[in-house]
Amino acid sequence: MPLPILSVAQVRDWEKRTWDAGITVESVIEQAGKAVAQLAAQVTQSGDSILLLAGKGNNGSDTRIAAKHLSGRQVKILDVTDPSEDLVVMRHCLQEDPALVVDGLFGIGLNRELDEHWQKLIHCLNETDAPVLSVDCPSGMDADNGLVQGAAIEAAITLCLGSLKRGLLVNSAAKYVGQLRIASRIGLDDPAPEADSHWVTEQDMRGLRPQRNPASHKGSHGHVGIIGGSTGYHGAPILAGRASLRAHPGLVSIFTPAYQPVSAQCQSVMVHPWGRGCMDALSRVSALVAGPGLAGDDIEDSLRQTVLNLWNQSGKPMVIDASALDWVPKESPESRAFRLLTPHPGEAARLLDCSVDEVESDRLRAGRALAEQFGVTVLLKGRHTILTQANGPALVNSTGNVGLAQGGSGDVLAGFIGGLLGQPVFRGREIQAVTYAAWKHGWAADQLTAIGDYWGMDDLINALGKREFH
């Protein structure tokens, strides 16, 4: 099950329920401390030095417990209670170049601005090269809204305990949060509180990779149709088509006004010149993607009308991306078949007639607003891509990185989604298909970034074909 994304008030209610059930604070702190130690050990090597900064609250207690479970490391604990006095000691400890600093200074209850002494201590830590592991929330950040209370620690990793806190997903919090990890099993009373959004984890994706029956043939695995390409934008449908193949459907076809440049670069993908003859071929596909590369001045009105007709009437699942987002009306389509819009923040702002900052300040609200206006499912791309409908909890993707901020990554995602939706195995399971596609797309980017080399769309598409679980 995806993990709930909670407010501080929900976490406090969960903790109270836990204590009322007879589970002790000490037992939860013990498990939380073990989780901190386990992650600290994972990101360091035997013999490395680790500096643990422990504050007065439960985060400090978690950090002290972690010290007991860090075997094979040189561990030093600094109890920070008076920042003006402890700053000198911390500076001395940092001069010893620890391999990791564990931030257990403040927890999720901080909702006031830190005084100048705390700010000075935090700035000092941020100026060092030592990577920081923050416990539950970077100290100095409001866990509800992501706002910095005067100063906040810039963590390399934040380990959330029990659940992810909603403020850590705000875009302005990114430079402080670093990589997000969650230790969900720390002894809090089951079940977790209900939430309006959930964090999709690797565990949730196990078993979703499509499997083929040994007796099947290419006609058994679906046929994806991609409508895209125009003068100057012929690369987009090619990327979408190649990415679609990585999802392993039986057939992929591109329908394009830019026939010559697209067909010259496709081998396994079939290419059809746009025209009257396309309708018969389009009727035989099992899923549709429209939008990649449809930005040229030579797009005919008949093509726009065809996309709109398919949107309203086709019984096949359909993905609308890029320029085609501006073509569909703000009302529920006539067809009850699955429909998906895949805007990035700029496109979402245009569709909602607001600024990009407004979209990014509350991505969940923006995604829901689009889902309500268009009456369909929306995949709002960006940092932690959100999949949402007008009702029910949203799903927040846990993979991906800033390396995806390059031309073509959206075309790759749209094609990969189409390649999954077109397969019979995902009929009636479209949300699972889209969730898996977004997760795998980000996972592929994470694998490439971990290598440390520059990577582009060819690398991303190839990585989509790699097995994620062994």
Side-chain angles (χ1 to χ4, degrees), residues 362-417:
D362 194 336
R363 289 169 49 77
L364 179 57
R365 181 180 62 185
R368 285 200 191 283
L370 287 171
E372 290 171 358
Q373 288 187 22
F374 289 89
V376 298
T377 304
V378 173
L379 187 75
L380 178 57
K381 295 178 288 193
R383 176 177 176 260
H384 303 309
T385 291
I386 295 174
L387 180 64
T388 185
Q389 297 175 311
N391 300 300
L395 297 174
V396 182
N397 187 43
S398 59
T399 60
N401 58 71
V402 73
L404 287 168
Q406 56 178 302
S409 65
D411 304 310
V412 170
L413 177 58
F416 191 60
I417 292 171

Side-chain angles (χ1 to χ4, degrees), residues 117-423:
H117 301 295
W118 278 113
Q119 290 187 36
K120 189 174 182 179
L121 184 142
I122 288 174
H123 286 312
C124 175
L125 181 56
N126 287 342
E127 288 171 357
T128 69
D129 294 329
V132 176
L133 164 59
S134 283
V135 178
D136 216 14
C137 177
S139 292
M141 176 179 291
D142 188 316
D144 259 343
N145 54 33
L147 295 178
V148 172
Q149 302 291 356
I153 285 177
E154 297 174 8
I157 305 174
T158 297
L159 176 65
C160 291
L161 301 174
S163 68
L164 179 60
K165 284 68 183 179
R166 62 174 52 168
L168 276 60
L169 295 178
V170 176
N171 266 18
S172 60
K175 67 175 288 190
Y176 304 98
V177 170
Q179 297 179 30
L180 276 169
R181 305 285 182 87
I182 303 178
S184 60
R185 308 300 297 181
I186 59 169
L188 294 171
D189 190 40
D190 287 328
E194 294 186 1
D196 61 3
S197 57
H198 289 81
W199 184 249
V200 176
T201 68
E202 176 181 303
Q203 193 63 35
D204 300 314
M205 297 297 99
R206 291 183 178 273
L208 290 187
R209 182 186 176 101
Q211 302 298 315
R212 290 191 163 194
N213 186 317
S216 63
H217 53 83
K218 65 182 179 183
S220 306
H221 304 292
H223 183 177
V224 182
I226 299 170
I227 303 174
S230 55
T231 300
Y233 300 92
H234 60 272
I238 296 170
L239 292 175
R242 291 179 54 213
S244 186
L245 288 171
R246 288 293 182 267
H248 226 199
L251 297 165
V252 178
S253 293
I254 295 175
F255 302 84
T256 179
Y259 175 75
Q260 291 295 339
V262 173
S263 62
Q265 298 184 60
C266 291
Q267 294 176 323
S268 300
V269 176
M270 296 178 287
V271 184
H272 302 261
W274 185 260
R276 292 182 179 178
C278 285
M279 294 312 301
D280 182 56
L282 279 168
S283 69
R284 295 194 294 271
V285 305
S286 54
L288 288 156
V289 178
L294 292 178
D297 296 332
D298 55 340
I299 299 298
E300 299 177 0
D301 289 339
S302 61
L303 189 151
R304 293 189 183 89
Q305 190 58 51
T306 297
V307 169
L308 184 56
N309 290 343
L310 290 167
W311 172 260
N312 276 316
Q313 300 168 13
S314 175
K316 316 291 176 59
M318 190 170 183
V319 180
I320 295 291
D321 184 47
S323 298
L325 290 165
D326 293 320
W327 301 353
V328 295
K330 292 184 178 180
E331 57 187 28
S332 298
E334 298 170 19
S335 173
R336 298 176 66 88
F338 182 76
R339 297 290 184 262
L340 178 72
L341 303 180
T342 59
H344 58 56
E347 292 163 339
R350 189 168 68 245
L351 294 172
L352 291 170
D353 193 23
C354 67
S355 68
V356 174
D357 286 344
E358 288 176 286
V359 170
E360 295 289 59
S361 67
D362 194 336
R363 289 169 49 77
L364 179 57
R365 181 180 62 185
R368 285 200 191 283
L370 287 171
E372 290 171 358
Q373 288 187 22
F374 289 89
V376 298
T377 304
V378 173
L379 187 75
L380 178 57
K381 295 178 288 193
R383 176 177 176 260
H384 303 309
T385 291
I386 295 174
L387 180 64
T388 185
Q389 297 175 311
N391 300 300
L395 297 174
V396 182
N397 187 43
S398 59
T399 60
N401 58 71
V402 73
L404 287 168
Q406 56 178 302
S409 65
D411 304 310
V412 170
L413 177 58
F416 191 60
I417 292 171
L420 293 171
L421 289 176
Q423 299 181 50

